[in-house]
């Protein structure tokens, strides 16, 4: 009998739990190791070279410790920077997390899409290349949030997070004059795995209904 695979899921914090949840549904037989790099959280506050210098050797240590059959980098900020480095240095297969721009633009009816991510993710050339390649005629607004990942971590740990704080991070995503505007934003890409932790509140606090694109099921 073949032994069940070991899957290592890595994130800067607890946002990767939204990805882990979907992976477990797909492979309930697997063994899992979840690693949150809390000491360096949030990754969006660090420079590109700093993230690469930290994550690449750290993943090497985790591979040696856990001997995974597959590594999932459940972090957009890290994935847009380190995937090529990881694949060059290690033979284990990797799955990354990148903004789900292609499916969002394919499904948008108004052709106006917002990408809500960390400041690091939205400024990456990788993200801009996805827009160039897959926008399919949509107008795509990049929204870099400074604090939403931290707010999600606080909420998950039981700390009080105000509606006003969440709404302030969401507001730039919504372009248009309300739900009746035919040119309004109708789709928001959640380009950080932390954000689905707040999904109930995102839906409630949105100025009008939109489709929220969570990348976890695709991963």
């Amino acid at each position: 009998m073949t032994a069940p695979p070991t899957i290592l899921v890595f994130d800067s914090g607890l946002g990767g739990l939204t990805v882990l949840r979907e992976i477990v549904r797909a492979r309930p037989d697997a063994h899992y190791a979840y690693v949150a790099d809390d000491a360096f959280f949030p990754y969006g506050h660090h420079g590109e070279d700093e993230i690469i210098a930290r994550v690449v050797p750290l993943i090497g240590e985790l591979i040696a410790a856990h001997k995974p059959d597959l590594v999932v980098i459940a972090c957009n900020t890290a994935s847009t920077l380190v995937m090529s480095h990881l694949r060059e240095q290690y033979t284990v297969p990797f799955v990354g997390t990148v903004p789900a721009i292609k499916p969002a633009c394919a499904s948008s009816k108004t052709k106006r899409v917002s990408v809500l991510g960390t400041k690091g993710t939205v400024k990456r050339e990788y993200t801009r290349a996805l827009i160039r390649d897959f926008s399919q005629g949509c107008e795509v607004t990049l929204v870099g949030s400074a604090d939403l990942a931290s707010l999600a971590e606080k909420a998950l740990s039981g700390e009080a997070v105000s509606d006003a704080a969440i709404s302030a991070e969401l507001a730039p995503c919504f372009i248009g004059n309300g739900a009746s505007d035919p040119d309004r934003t109708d789709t928001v890409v959640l380009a950080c795995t932390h954000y689905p932790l707040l999904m109930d509140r995102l839906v409630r606090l949105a100025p009008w209904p939109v489709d929220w694109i969570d990348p976890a099921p695709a991963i």
Side-chain angles (χ1 to χ4, degrees):
M1 177 178 288
T2 303
T6 296
I7 299 175
L8 171 66
V9 180
F10 176 85
D11 185 31
S12 61
L14 300 179
L17 293 174
T18 63
V19 177
L20 177 63
R21 177 177 58 200
E22 297 297 329
I23 300 173
V24 170
R25 287 176 180 168
R27 289 303 302 265
D29 59 311
H31 296 304
Y32 291 93
Y34 184 87
V35 177
D37 187 15
D38 288 338
F40 212 58
F41 177 82
Y43 278 8
H45 288 183
H46 297 284
E48 296 183 7
D49 291 342
E50 289 180 286
I51 295 170
I52 294 168
R54 180 175 179 83
V55 173
V56 174
L58 177 56
I59 293 296
E61 294 173 12
L62 295 173
I63 290 171
H66 298 283
K67 297 177 173 55
D69 298 286
L70 176 72
V71 178
V72 177
I73 306 298
C75 173
N76 285 265
T77 300
S79 293
T80 56
L81 288 174
V82 304
M83 294 303 294
S84 61
H85 300 276
L86 295 175
R87 288 169 175 153
E88 286 174 3
Q89 294 202 27
Y90 310 114
T91 58
V92 177
F94 290 90
V95 176
T97 309
V98 297
I101 290 166
K102 183 178 181 179
C105 291
S107 64
S108 174
K109 301 295 191 297
T110 65
K111 295 300 180 182
R112 190 181 289 273
V113 172
S114 290
V115 178
L116 178 62
T118 66
K119 289 185 177 294
T121 294
V122 301
K123 75 179 182 181
R124 299 276 182 266
E125 173 56 27
Y126 190 105
T127 303
R128 297 178 187 277
L130 289 174
I131 294 171
R132 287 196 300 270
D133 292 343
F134 300 117
S135 62
Q136 303 174 63
C138 290
E139 183 169 341
V140 180
T141 301
L142 290 171
V143 179
S145 170
D147 298 319
L148 195 57
S150 296
L151 294 175
E153 291 254 337
K154 289 179 180 178
L156 188 63
S157 66
E159 294 184 46
V161 174
S162 71
D163 285 352
I166 296 173
S167 292
E169 302 295 314
L170 283 183
C173 294
F174 288 82
I175 311 298
N177 296 311
S180 62
D181 185 348
D183 297 320
R184 73 190 182 283
T185 303
D186 72 346
T187 306
V188 177
V189 177
L190 298 178
C192 173
T193 56
H194 280 76
Y195 299 167
L197 295 170
L198 295 170
M199 183 64 80
D200 290 347
R201 296 181 71 178
L202 299 182
V203 171
R204 176 168 60 82
L205 295 171
W208 56 79
V210 295
D211 290 332
W212 302 91
I213 306 297
D214 176 1
I219 298 166

